[in-house]
Amino acid sequence: MSSDSSKKRKPKVIRTDGGPSEGKRGRPDTDQDAKYYSEEAEMDLRDPNKDYELYKETCQDLQRLMAEIQELKSKGNKDSASEIEERRIQSCVHFMTLKKLNRLAHIRLKKGRDQTHEAKQKVDAYHLQLQNLLYEVMHLQKEITKCLEFKSKHEEIELVSVEEFYKEAPAEISKPEITLADPHQQTLSRLDWELEQRKRLAEKYKESLANKEKILKEIEVKKEYLSNLQPRLNSIMQASLPVQEYLSMPFDQVHKQYETARHLPPPLYVLFVQASAYGQACDKKLAVAIEGNVEEAKALCKPPEDSQDDESDSDAEEEQTTKRRRPTLGVQLDDKRKEMLKRHPLSVTVDLKCKDGSLLLLTFYYLMNLNVMTTKAKVTAAAEMSMPISAGDLLCPDTLLSCLYPGDHGKRTPNPANQFQFDKVGIVSLNDYVAELGHPYLWVQKLGGLHFPKDQPQNPVIADNSLSASHMERTMKLLKMRLESRLALHKQFASLEHGILPVSSECQHLFPAKIVSRLVKWTALTYEDYLELSYTKDVVEAGLAEDTHLYYMALIERGTAKLQAAVVLNPGYSSMPPIFSLCLNWKGEKTNSNDDNIRAMESEVSVYYKELYGPKPGYQLLTNQLQRLCVVLDVYLETETHDNSVEGPKEFPQEKMCLRLVRGPSRMKPFKFNHPQGFFSHR
């Protein structure tokens, strides 16, 4: 029965109660009361909650009926067949109810999905409208930004200020009654005034051009006159040569020098001009000259000829040469290095003469590709001088000008850009080529007007006359002082090697009349030998000993006592005093680390050096320090207590007059000499 009911899915017709069927058939179709059954319409009228309750009640009834049928079947009574059939019919009705509820649930689900789909379509439509509106807003914002950033042509014109406009412009242009309240009209009026002014300036410009043409014609006439005058002047100069030689006024030679100077590179030209000016104003003995090949310098100034034919020929020749022999990589690098380190054909020489007639010859070169200047030095003494062994480095060209200014040793290039150039051709440092090229001291660059700031690099660096002029006088004085101090040291070393301390008469009052200790040895030391000495560590650690300094060893003796003095001579002697490190070999080895009196002796010569300067410029300082060292050694030995257990006279009898032999727990000795009283006291 259930299968028959499930197969019949046709819509049913619900007929109304009343009247016979025959009367209903006679009515027209539009007035029929018959309605087609629609589950969708019924679903709208039904309450889902009630359907749910009906579903639960139907399921409970089905369970109950099935249980009763099961119970009746289990009893096996023949009379129960009718009851079973009745309950089966009720169960089929309940099944029909469940099917109907199932169809209603599916219809509700479909309707819910349809409603959800419609809502999603509405949301998508609204979202699309929102995106369109946002795009329109973005477009409008871009247009607003374009309008705000719009720059009119008049903004690029530099107009006069508003105050000046109202002050100078006539009333018919400025219109203050309108423009003061309206910025737009004010801008238009200012533009009208600018146009009026430019028209006036254009008229003046035309007048100036006419005057320029007139002046140019006058200049041409005068040039022609001067060109005709030049041959006459040359003949006059040629005729005056004997007079110039007689009066020691070489105008012709100076003129030729300045003609040659035109071909100098800018740094050498600045040096030549400023050195010549300094010589004329401050030092008549200063001689400045130009040396080198002028023709090569002229060839460097000429621009290369641009010819396509020549280039094609040269390219063909290069191809042929490369086919014949291809140079190795090492040869190419050597050629690049030579090209990079190439000097200008011309150089400038400066001769500095001292009062005693000694001459310092400086030759300045310009490295074209590195844009730096170098110099070489040569010393010519006024008279023949003996060459002490220890004075070998004093007048050496490589060390003579080292540290003329503090820290300027001339071993590195002052141009920071050169290091990148060196990396390309495999040059480690310019120090390997200074013997051939000269030293690139910083003061040499400044004399040529070159300055290479490290914090703000300039490209390119241009020679500055004012920089050269500001350093010329001080540098020349330092060069003279360096030459004079080295020559003075040279003379002193000749005496020191023979054990003689050449104390001048002006410095005799600094020392007592009788000095027993004597200098027996004076030799030069290398920097490495100085570092190996145990009693020089304090000086090395303090940074007072560098490889640019000069090092010497002095040996002073008195009896069995031997005093070794390691001396550090700064290149800036005598403005920078020599520094002494002492080691006394007497009754053991005594240095500043184990004897406070040795440290006090070092202070007497290294700290209180100003007492030993003597007459300016103080070139006798080293000799006076060595003499003071002999004096303090006498005081040290004579004030030592005598051991009574040893028979015989005292080895070092006291000959110096001392107020107190020792003072304080450290038993310090009186090393200070008081003139003219002639006694020693403590500091």
Side-chain angles (χ1 to χ4, degrees):
M1 181 177 180
S2 61
S3 60
D4 296 338
S5 61
S6 62
K7 292 179 181 178
K8 298 177 181 179
R9 300 276 183 182
K10 296 181 180 179
K12 299 179 180 180
V13 179
I14 301 175
R15 304 181 183 277
T16 58
D17 297 335
S21 60
E22 291 80 11
K24 293 178 183 176
R25 292 173 186 164
R27 296 178 184 178
D29 295 337
T30 56
D31 296 331
Q32 285 182 357
D33 293 340
K35 296 181 180 177
Y36 288 99
Y37 173 70
S38 175
E39 288 184 341
E40 287 83 357
E42 183 181 0
M43 182 267 300
D44 293 336
L45 299 175
R46 294 174 70 93
D47 186 5
N49 295 326
K50 291 182 179 181
D51 287 347
Y52 179 64
E53 293 297 332
L54 178 61
Y55 167 74
K56 290 197 292 184
E57 291 175 0
T58 305
C59 290
Q60 291 175 0
D61 292 341
L62 272 174
Q63 290 177 356
R64 180 178 53 79
L65 291 172
M66 292 299 175
E68 291 177 356
I69 291 172
Q70 180 67 23
E71 184 180 356
L72 291 173
K73 284 185 177 183
S74 61
K75 289 180 180 181
N77 295 330
K78 298 180 180 180
D79 299 333
S80 60
S82 59
E83 294 179 3
I84 292 172
E85 185 65 25
E86 182 181 354
R87 285 173 174 75
R88 185 176 297 168
I89 293 170
Q90 292 177 2
S91 300
C92 290
V93 172
H94 288 312
F95 274 117
M96 296 300 293
T97 303
L98 289 177
K99 287 184 177 182
K100 181 177 182 178
L101 292 175
N102 184 37
R103 288 195 299 275
L104 291 175
H106 281 287
I107 292 171
R108 284 194 184 95
L109 177 62
K110 182 178 181 301
K111 184 177 181 181
R113 287 177 177 173
D114 293 341
Q115 291 176 352
T116 304
H117 183 66
E118 290 177 1
K120 285 176 65 177
Q121 286 183 338
K122 289 182 180 180
V123 170
D124 291 342
Y126 289 146
H127 186 265
L128 182 61
Q129 292 178 4
L130 176 62
Q131 294 297 325
N132 292 335
L133 291 174
L134 290 176
Y135 180 76
E136 290 181 5
V137 168
M138 183 178 64
H139 177 70
L140 292 174
Q141 286 178 346
K142 287 183 179 180
E143 293 299 323
I144 291 171
T145 305
K146 287 181 181 179
C147 294
L148 293 176
E149 293 179 352
F150 175 74
K151 289 185 179 181
S152 177
K153 286 292 183 181
H154 80 277
E155 294 180 0
E156 300 177 0
I157 301 174
E158 187 176 355
L159 301 176
V160 297
S161 63
V162 178
E163 295 80 5
E164 188 177 353
F165 166 68
Y166 283 113
K167 183 179 179 181
E168 297 181 357
E172 57 270 14
I173 294 179
S174 61
K175 301 176 184 178
E177 64 279 357
I178 301 175
T179 57
L180 286 173
D182 190 353
H184 178 64
Q185 292 296 332
Q186 186 185 71
T187 304
L188 293 178
S189 300
R190 291 175 69 188
L191 288 172
D192 291 339
W193 175 238
E194 183 71 20
L195 178 61
E196 186 67 23
Q197 285 182 316
R198 294 199 177 195
K199 287 180 179 179
R200 295 176 186 175
L201 291 175
E203 293 178 0
K204 289 184 179 180
Y205 175 69
K206 290 180 181 179
E207 294 177 1
S208 300
L209 283 179
N211 292 333
K212 179 183 176 182
E213 293 295 331
K214 183 179 178 182
I215 294 171
L216 286 175
K217 290 180 181 179
E218 294 178 358
I219 291 174
E220 290 296 329
V221 174
K222 291 181 179 180
K223 278 185 177 180
E224 186 177 357
Y225 171 76
L226 291 175
S227 62
N228 295 330
L229 185 62
Q230 184 65 32
R232 297 182 182 180
L233 291 176
N234 291 336
S235 60
I236 293 173
M237 291 293 295
Q238 192 68 26
S240 64
L241 286 177
V243 180
Q244 294 179 26
E245 294 177 1
Y246 181 75
L247 297 177
S248 299
M249 300 173 67
F251 295 114
D252 188 62
Q253 184 179 357
V254 172
H255 178 70
K256 289 181 179 179
Q257 285 283 325
Y258 276 98
E259 284 293 326
T260 307
R262 294 169 52 191
H263 305 289
L264 287 172
L268 289 181
Y269 181 79
V270 169
L271 171 66
F272 175 77
V273 172
Q274 295 298 331
S276 300
Y278 174 78
Q280 294 174 8
C282 304
D283 190 356
K284 301 296 182 181
K285 296 181 180 180
L286 185 71
V288 185
I290 301 174
E291 296 181 353
N293 194 326
V294 182
E295 297 300 326
E296 290 185 12
K298 290 180 180 179
L300 289 175
C301 297
K302 290 181 180 179
E305 296 180 0
D306 297 332
S307 176
Q308 295 182 353
D309 296 337
D310 294 342
E311 289 180 0
S312 60
D313 294 342
S314 61
D315 292 342
E317 291 177 2
E318 288 180 1
E319 289 179 1
Q320 291 179 0
T321 53
T322 52
K323 287 179 180 178
R324 290 191 221 126
R325 185 186 66 180
R326 193 181 296 271
T328 61
L329 183 61
V331 174
Q332 291 178 356
L333 278 177
D334 289 340
D335 294 340
K336 290 181 179 179
R337 290 171 189 157
K338 290 178 182 179
E339 182 65 25
M340 182 168 291
L341 302 176
K342 188 177 181 181
R343 296 189 303 205
H344 194 272
L346 298 180
S347 59
V348 176
T349 60
V350 178
D351 295 347
L352 278 169
K353 291 184 180 179
C354 297
K355 295 179 180 179
D356 60 353
S358 300
L359 181 66
L360 175 62
L361 175 62
L362 298 174
T363 306
F364 296 90
Y365 304 97
Y366 177 67
L367 306 183
M368 297 181 291
N369 294 320
L370 301 181
N371 193 25
V372 295
M373 291 176 58
T374 60
T375 186
K376 288 185 176 182
K378 183 180 179 182
V379 178
T380 303
E384 292 187 5
M385 301 172 60
S386 59
M387 191 62 186
I389 299 175
S390 59
D393 293 335
L394 285 178
L395 300 178
C396 177
D398 292 335
T399 59
L400 177 62
L401 304 180
S402 178
C403 297
L404 188 67
Y405 287 88
D408 188 9
H409 48 70
K411 294 181 179 180
R412 293 192 299 267
T413 172
N415 189 354
N418 293 158
Q419 191 58 46
F420 299 99
Q421 296 174 290
F422 291 162
D423 293 341
K424 292 181 180 179
V425 297
I427 296 177
V428 179
S429 173
L430 190 62
N431 189 34
D432 301 332
Y433 302 90
V434 293
E436 177 185 356
L437 303 175
H439 291 268
Y441 297 110
L442 286 175
W443 58 267
V444 175
Q445 317 308 317
K446 292 180 180 178
L447 290 185
L450 297 176
H451 179 54
F452 303 96
K454 296 182 180 179
D455 52 348
Q456 295 179 353
Q458 298 178 359
N459 191 16
V461 177
I462 302 174
D464 186 6
N465 273 291
S466 59
L467 179 64
S468 176
S470 62
H471 287 80
M472 182 63 67
E473 183 175 4
R474 174 168 172 75
T475 303
M476 291 300 171
K477 288 182 179 179
L478 289 176
L479 288 170
K480 278 190 175 182
M481 290 174 58
R482 175 62 61 87
L483 178 60
E484 291 172 355
S485 65
R486 291 298 174 92
L487 291 175
L489 285 173
H490 193 279
K491 293 179 182 179
Q492 294 176 46
F493 283 7
S495 301
L496 294 178
E497 287 189 356
H498 292 85
I500 302 172
L501 292 173
V503 180
S504 61
S505 57
E506 294 87 351
C507 301
Q508 290 292 342
H509 67 280
L510 300 175
F511 312 104
K514 184 177 181 181
I515 303 174
V516 182
S517 299
R518 291 289 179 265
L519 176 69
V520 297
K521 188 177 181 182
W522 176 263
T523 57
L525 283 179
T526 62
Y527 178 58
E528 291 76 14
D529 293 340
Y530 182 85
L531 295 179
E532 292 178 358
L533 298 176
S534 60
Y535 51 90
T536 61
K537 292 182 179 178
D538 293 343
V539 178
V540 175
E541 292 175 357
L544 300 175
E546 300 178 1
D547 56 351
T548 55
H549 295 174
L550 303 175
Y551 299 92
Y552 300 94
M553 175 66 74
L555 179 61
I556 300 174
E557 293 184 358
R558 180 180 176 181
T560 59
K562 295 182 180 180
L563 179 65
Q564 292 180 342
V567 185
V568 180
L569 192 65
N570 192 288
Y573 177 87
S574 62
S575 59
M576 299 295 292
I579 299 175
F580 286 72
S581 300
L582 304 180
C583 178
L584 177 62
N585 292 309
W586 182 62
K587 296 181 180 180
E589 187 177 282
K590 301 177 181 180
T591 63
N592 56 8
S593 61
N594 57 20
D595 193 336
D596 292 337
N597 283 297
I598 296 296
R599 185 181 295 107
M601 292 168 63
E602 292 177 349
S603 300
E604 285 295 323
V605 293
S606 299
V607 177
Y608 304 107
Y609 65 91
K610 292 183 179 179
E611 301 174 0
L612 305 173
Y613 255 123
K616 292 185 178 180
Y619 295 147
Q620 296 294 322
L621 175 60
L622 177 62
T623 300
N624 294 341
Q625 285 179 308
L626 291 171
Q627 187 76 338
R628 171 66 66 87
L629 202 56
C630 293
V631 173
V632 295
L633 178 60
D634 284 347
V635 174
Y636 181 92
L637 297 175
E638 292 175 11
T639 54
E640 278 291 309
T641 56
H642 180 63
D643 189 2
N644 294 325
S645 62
V646 179
E647 296 182 357
K650 188 177 180 181
E651 182 180 2
F652 304 111
Q654 183 176 351
E655 298 177 354
K656 307 293 187 297
M657 184 171 59
C658 304
L659 295 182
R660 294 176 62 182
L661 295 182
V662 292
R663 185 180 69 180
S666 58
R667 313 294 289 172
M668 300 301 295
K669 300 177 183 296
F671 292 122
K672 181 180 179 182
F673 178 68
N674 296 272
H675 176 79
Q677 291 83 2
F679 63 86
F680 289 85
S681 63
H682 293 85
R683 290 191 180 272

